[in-house]
mmCIF file of all heavy atoms in Angstrom:
data_model
loop_
_atom_site.group_PDB
_atom_site.id
_atom_site.type_symbol
_atom_site.label_atom_id
_atom_site.label_comp_id
_atom_site.label_asym_id
_atom_site.label_seq_id
_atom_site.Cartn_x
_atom_site.Cartn_y
_atom_site.Cartn_z
ATOM 1 N N HIS A 3 136.051 109.450 -164.804
ATOM 2 C CA HIS A 3 136.422 108.277 -164.022
ATOM 3 C C HIS A 3 135.159 107.543 -163.599
ATOM 4 O O HIS A 3 134.164 108.161 -163.215
ATOM 5 C CB HIS A 3 137.212 108.677 -162.764
ATOM 6 C CG HIS A 3 138.516 109.340 -163.075
ATOM 7 N ND1 HIS A 3 139.667 108.640 -163.355
ATOM 8 C CD2 HIS A 3 138.842 110.662 -163.162
ATOM 9 C CE1 HIS A 3 140.650 109.480 -163.578
ATOM 10 N NE2 HIS A 3 140.174 110.725 -163.475
ATOM 11 N N ASN A 6 133.361 101.947 -159.108
ATOM 12 C CA ASN A 6 132.436 100.878 -158.752
ATOM 13 C C ASN A 6 132.289 100.843 -157.232
ATOM 14 O O ASN A 6 133.122 100.284 -156.531
ATOM 15 C CB ASN A 6 132.951 99.533 -159.272
ATOM 16 C CG ASN A 6 132.016 98.394 -158.931
ATOM 17 O OD1 ASN A 6 130.904 98.620 -158.454
ATOM 18 N ND2 ASN A 6 132.463 97.170 -159.171
ATOM 19 N N PHE A 7 131.225 101.471 -156.745
ATOM 20 C CA PHE A 7 131.037 101.535 -155.308
ATOM 21 C C PHE A 7 130.754 100.164 -154.710
ATOM 22 O O PHE A 7 130.925 99.953 -153.507
ATOM 23 C CB PHE A 7 129.897 102.501 -154.963
ATOM 24 C CG PHE A 7 130.298 103.945 -155.107
ATOM 25 C CD1 PHE A 7 130.030 104.637 -156.269
ATOM 26 C CD2 PHE A 7 130.961 104.588 -154.075
ATOM 27 C CE1 PHE A 7 130.402 105.956 -156.403
ATOM 28 C CE2 PHE A 7 131.345 105.920 -154.205
ATOM 29 C CZ PHE A 7 131.065 106.607 -155.371
ATOM 30 N N PHE A 10 133.714 98.805 -152.879
ATOM 31 C CA PHE A 10 134.251 99.434 -151.687
ATOM 32 C C PHE A 10 134.179 98.484 -150.497
ATOM 33 O O PHE A 10 133.196 97.750 -150.319
ATOM 34 C CB PHE A 10 133.474 100.716 -151.353
ATOM 35 C CG PHE A 10 133.992 101.937 -152.059
ATOM 36 C CD1 PHE A 10 134.182 101.938 -153.437
ATOM 37 C CD2 PHE A 10 134.283 103.092 -151.358
ATOM 38 C CE1 PHE A 10 134.649 103.061 -154.095
ATOM 39 C CE2 PHE A 10 134.759 104.217 -152.006
ATOM 40 C CZ PHE A 10 134.942 104.209 -153.382
ATOM 41 N N ILE A 30 113.967 80.492 -116.393
ATOM 42 C CA ILE A 30 112.782 81.315 -116.130
ATOM 43 C C ILE A 30 112.039 80.785 -114.905
ATOM 44 O O ILE A 30 111.596 81.561 -114.039
ATOM 45 C CB ILE A 30 111.855 81.326 -117.366
ATOM 46 C CG1 ILE A 30 112.564 81.979 -118.558
ATOM 47 C CG2 ILE A 30 110.556 82.062 -117.054
ATOM 48 C CD1 ILE A 30 112.971 83.418 -118.340
ATOM 49 N N LEU A 36 112.698 82.680 -107.329
ATOM 50 C CA LEU A 36 113.347 83.755 -106.586
ATOM 51 C C LEU A 36 112.371 84.888 -106.284
ATOM 52 O O LEU A 36 112.393 85.479 -105.188
ATOM 53 C CB LEU A 36 114.535 84.304 -107.376
ATOM 54 C CG LEU A 36 115.723 83.379 -107.624
ATOM 55 C CD1 LEU A 36 116.855 84.145 -108.295
ATOM 56 C CD2 LEU A 36 116.206 82.726 -106.348
ATOM 57 N N LEU A 51 116.393 103.457 -107.399
ATOM 58 C CA LEU A 51 116.260 103.231 -108.837
ATOM 59 C C LEU A 51 115.541 104.391 -109.502
ATOM 60 O O LEU A 51 114.845 105.179 -108.853
ATOM 61 C CB LEU A 51 115.507 101.920 -109.098
ATOM 62 C CG LEU A 51 116.164 100.642 -108.543
ATOM 63 C CD1 LEU A 51 115.285 99.428 -108.808
ATOM 64 C CD2 LEU A 51 117.538 100.433 -109.158
ATOM 65 N N ILE A 59 111.771 95.069 -106.170
ATOM 66 C CA ILE A 59 112.142 94.232 -105.033
ATOM 67 C C ILE A 59 113.478 93.554 -105.316
ATOM 68 O O ILE A 59 113.712 93.038 -106.420
ATOM 69 C CB ILE A 59 111.072 93.160 -104.754
ATOM 70 C CG1 ILE A 59 109.705 93.803 -104.480
ATOM 71 C CG2 ILE A 59 111.473 92.286 -103.573
ATOM 72 C CD1 ILE A 59 108.588 92.798 -104.354
ATOM 73 N N GLY A 84 138.085 93.588 -127.170
ATOM 74 C CA GLY A 84 139.028 94.379 -126.394
ATOM 75 C C GLY A 84 138.318 95.045 -125.235
ATOM 76 O O GLY A 84 137.111 95.291 -125.272
ATOM 77 N N ARG A 85 139.078 95.350 -124.199
ATOM 78 C CA ARG A 85 138.453 95.900 -123.005
ATOM 79 C C ARG A 85 138.845 97.346 -122.752
ATOM 80 O O ARG A 85 138.608 97.899 -121.692
ATOM 81 C CB ARG A 85 138.823 95.041 -121.793
ATOM 82 C CG ARG A 85 137.687 95.024 -120.792
ATOM 83 C CD ARG A 85 137.872 94.045 -119.667
ATOM 84 N NE ARG A 85 136.966 94.444 -118.619
ATOM 85 C CZ ARG A 85 137.279 95.302 -117.654
ATOM 86 N NH1 ARG A 85 138.484 95.802 -117.587
ATOM 87 N NH2 ARG A 85 136.391 95.644 -116.755
ATOM 88 N N HIS A 88 136.436 100.173 -121.252
ATOM 89 C CA HIS A 88 135.975 100.263 -119.877
ATOM 90 C C HIS A 88 136.859 101.194 -119.058
ATOM 91 O O HIS A 88 138.070 101.074 -119.075
ATOM 92 C CB HIS A 88 135.947 98.875 -119.228
ATOM 93 C CG HIS A 88 135.125 98.839 -117.985
ATOM 94 N ND1 HIS A 88 135.600 99.289 -116.788
ATOM 95 C CD2 HIS A 88 133.840 98.449 -117.768
ATOM 96 C CE1 HIS A 88 134.649 99.161 -115.870
ATOM 97 N NE2 HIS A 88 133.587 98.650 -116.437
ATOM 98 N N VAL A 105 113.592 92.687 -109.255
ATOM 99 C CA VAL A 105 112.427 92.507 -110.113
ATOM 100 C C VAL A 105 111.600 93.787 -110.084
ATOM 101 O O VAL A 105 111.420 94.408 -109.036
ATOM 102 C CB VAL A 105 111.580 91.296 -109.667
ATOM 103 C CG1 VAL A 105 111.091 91.447 -108.224
ATOM 104 C CG2 VAL A 105 110.385 91.089 -110.613
ATOM 105 N N GLU A 112 102.862 103.770 -116.184
ATOM 106 C CA GLU A 112 104.140 103.931 -115.492
ATOM 107 C C GLU A 112 105.293 103.786 -116.489
ATOM 108 O O GLU A 112 105.127 103.211 -117.564
ATOM 109 C CB GLU A 112 104.260 102.913 -114.368
ATOM 110 C CG GLU A 112 103.204 103.108 -113.287
ATOM 111 C CD GLU A 112 103.285 102.083 -112.184
ATOM 112 O OE1 GLU A 112 103.970 101.056 -112.348
ATOM 113 O OE2 GLU A 112 102.655 102.308 -111.124
ATOM 114 N N ASP A 118 121.028 105.136 -116.731
ATOM 115 C CA ASP A 118 122.015 104.087 -116.927
ATOM 116 C C ASP A 118 122.239 103.382 -115.596
ATOM 117 O O ASP A 118 121.579 103.689 -114.600
ATOM 118 C CB ASP A 118 123.316 104.627 -117.525
ATOM 119 C CG ASP A 118 123.928 105.731 -116.669
ATOM 120 O OD1 ASP A 118 123.597 105.811 -115.465
ATOM 121 O OD2 ASP A 118 124.740 106.513 -117.193
ATOM 122 N N GLY A 120 125.095 101.370 -112.704
ATOM 123 C CA GLY A 120 126.459 101.209 -112.237
ATOM 124 C C GLY A 120 126.969 99.828 -112.613
ATOM 125 O O GLY A 120 126.194 98.890 -112.769
ATOM 126 N N SER A 179 108.385 87.726 -123.714
ATOM 127 C CA SER A 179 108.540 87.119 -122.391
ATOM 128 C C SER A 179 109.554 85.981 -122.474
ATOM 129 O O SER A 179 109.461 85.116 -123.344
ATOM 130 C CB SER A 179 107.196 86.594 -121.894
ATOM 131 O OG SER A 179 106.234 87.629 -121.809
ATOM 132 N N MET A 182 116.196 87.815 -122.868
ATOM 133 C CA MET A 182 117.191 88.526 -122.061
ATOM 134 C C MET A 182 118.049 89.382 -122.978
ATOM 135 O O MET A 182 118.399 88.966 -124.083
ATOM 136 C CB MET A 182 118.079 87.522 -121.318
ATOM 137 C CG MET A 182 119.203 88.148 -120.506
ATOM 138 S SD MET A 182 120.246 86.875 -119.745
ATOM 139 C CE MET A 182 121.286 87.888 -118.693
ATOM 140 N N ASP A 200 95.349 96.092 -117.584
ATOM 141 C CA ASP A 200 95.378 96.085 -116.126
ATOM 142 C C ASP A 200 96.422 95.126 -115.551
ATOM 143 O O ASP A 200 96.630 95.090 -114.344
ATOM 144 C CB ASP A 200 93.997 95.719 -115.575
ATOM 145 C CG ASP A 200 92.953 96.797 -115.873
ATOM 146 O OD1 ASP A 200 93.346 97.979 -115.925
ATOM 147 O OD2 ASP A 200 91.778 96.449 -116.059
ATOM 148 N N GLU A 201 97.080 94.345 -116.396
ATOM 149 C CA GLU A 201 98.086 93.413 -115.908
ATOM 150 C C GLU A 201 99.430 94.112 -115.747
ATOM 151 O O GLU A 201 99.728 95.093 -116.440
ATOM 152 C CB GLU A 201 98.236 92.235 -116.875
ATOM 153 C CG GLU A 201 96.993 91.393 -117.052
ATOM 154 C CD GLU A 201 97.241 90.240 -118.006
ATOM 155 O OE1 GLU A 201 98.137 89.420 -117.717
ATOM 156 O OE2 GLU A 201 96.558 90.173 -119.048
ATOM 157 N N ARG A 203 103.463 94.474 -116.086
ATOM 158 C CA ARG A 203 104.638 94.014 -116.815
ATOM 159 C C ARG A 203 105.718 93.689 -115.783
ATOM 160 O O ARG A 203 106.007 94.513 -114.909
ATOM 161 C CB ARG A 203 105.146 95.096 -117.775
ATOM 162 C CG ARG A 203 106.472 94.730 -118.440
ATOM 163 C CD ARG A 203 106.980 95.853 -119.319
ATOM 164 N NE ARG A 203 106.153 95.986 -120.512
ATOM 165 C CZ ARG A 203 106.330 96.926 -121.445
ATOM 166 N NH1 ARG A 203 107.297 97.811 -121.307
ATOM 167 N NH2 ARG A 203 105.540 96.971 -122.480
ATOM 168 N N GLY A 211 129.592 93.762 -111.926
ATOM 169 C CA GLY A 211 130.736 94.622 -111.661
ATOM 170 C C GLY A 211 132.029 93.861 -111.926
ATOM 171 O O GLY A 211 132.036 92.653 -112.159
#
Side-chain angles (χ1 to χ4, degrees):
H3 297 276
N6 180 9
F7 285 95
F10 273 51
I30 297 299
L36 295 186
L51 300 177
I59 302 173
R85 213 171 162 271
H88 197 280
V105 59
E112 297 178 346
D118 57 21
S179 301
M182 177 183 188
D200 293 328
E201 298 181 59
R203 173 183 289 177

